[in-house]
Amino acid sequence: MSEAPPRYQDINKLTGTRDPATPANATAAQSAKITQVFGNLSKMNLDTNYNGEKTVKYQGFEWRLSAKRAVREDDEIWLGLFLDASLHKFAPGEKYSVDHEIILMNQLKGKTGNITRKATNTFPAHNGGLGWGFLEVIKFHELLSPSSGFVLDDSMIVVCKFWATRC
């Protein structure tokens, strides 16, 4: 019997058993991780945020991943990936620093084909929410290409590990 395609295997096997490197001052217990499957990618509209269904409670807030298909300055259509926080309980002037790593999983090639983006951002809490991410993760036509390995059954898998601190 042949092995099931990676899309149907345990996502933990696909994402690996070792967590991404953590900042020097963070421990695994202080970090959070979200794994989200985004479906119906071929029907994704331009300039619309697609919010992940999974949320993680971390440091008193709800966090989720979102994806966006947008035309950039080069007139190419890109996939953007973001970590969003719903911050409804904060004092005026509070700031948050977030170290995060967003990984677009390659479902055919495994870890060697993943696209990883890392950043540290500090932003004031405002408008009831915050978002960090990357506008240009991969060109959309490359994402949807069957040979790229990022999309199976019109779905992609995105993983984010993050550490947030109030400044």
Side-chain angles (χ1 to χ4, degrees):
M1 183 174 174
S2 66
E3 187 175 291
R7 164 108 167 76
Y8 298 103
Q9 292 179 2
D10 181 357
I11 288 178
N12 290 328
K13 288 181 183 175
L14 188 62
T15 61
T17 55
R18 188 178 72 77
D19 287 328
T22 60
N25 61 348
T27 65
Q30 295 171 314
S31 65
K33 182 177 177 181
I34 302 173
T35 301
Q36 179 68 55
V37 177
F38 289 94
N40 298 315
L41 294 178
S42 61
K43 296 178 180 147
M44 200 177 210
N45 294 322
L46 280 175
D47 295 322
T48 301
N49 284 332
Y50 288 83
N51 296 319
E53 295 172 5
K54 283 189 176 182
T55 60
V56 171
K57 288 199 183 252
Y58 175 67
Q59 294 196 1
F61 306 115
E62 286 193 2
W63 301 77
R64 69 176 174 211
L65 291 170
S66 64
K68 183 175 185 176
R69 179 180 171 206
V71 176
R72 301 298 298 145
E73 293 173 5
D74 60 4
D75 291 328
E76 290 276 352
I77 299 173
W78 287 80
L79 171 71
L81 296 172
F82 308 91
L83 172 65
D84 301 318
S86 176
L87 304 175
H88 297 290
K89 300 175 185 175
F90 59 88
E94 272 189 328
K95 291 183 180 180
Y96 286 84
S97 177
V98 176
D99 291 302
H100 65 289
E101 179 175 87
I102 296 177
I103 306 166
L104 175 60
M105 305 304 298
N106 192 302
Q107 300 180 65
L108 294 180
K109 299 174 187 171
K111 292 181 195 178
T112 59
N114 294 344
I115 295 176
T116 302
R117 299 286 187 264
K118 297 179 184 182
T120 299
N121 301 99
T122 302
F123 291 108
H126 60 82
N127 298 331
L130 295 175
W132 296 271
F134 307 93
L135 293 170
E136 298 177 356
V137 174
I138 187 173
K139 291 181 180 177
F140 211 76
H141 69 85
E142 293 174 13
L143 174 76
L144 295 180
S145 171
S147 63
S148 75
F150 294 108
V151 176
L152 287 178
D153 297 331
D154 207 24
S155 297
M156 68 179 174
I157 300 171
V158 180
V159 176
C160 181
K161 183 157 185 179
F162 60 99
W163 306 262
T165 55
R166 187 170 62 194
C167 301

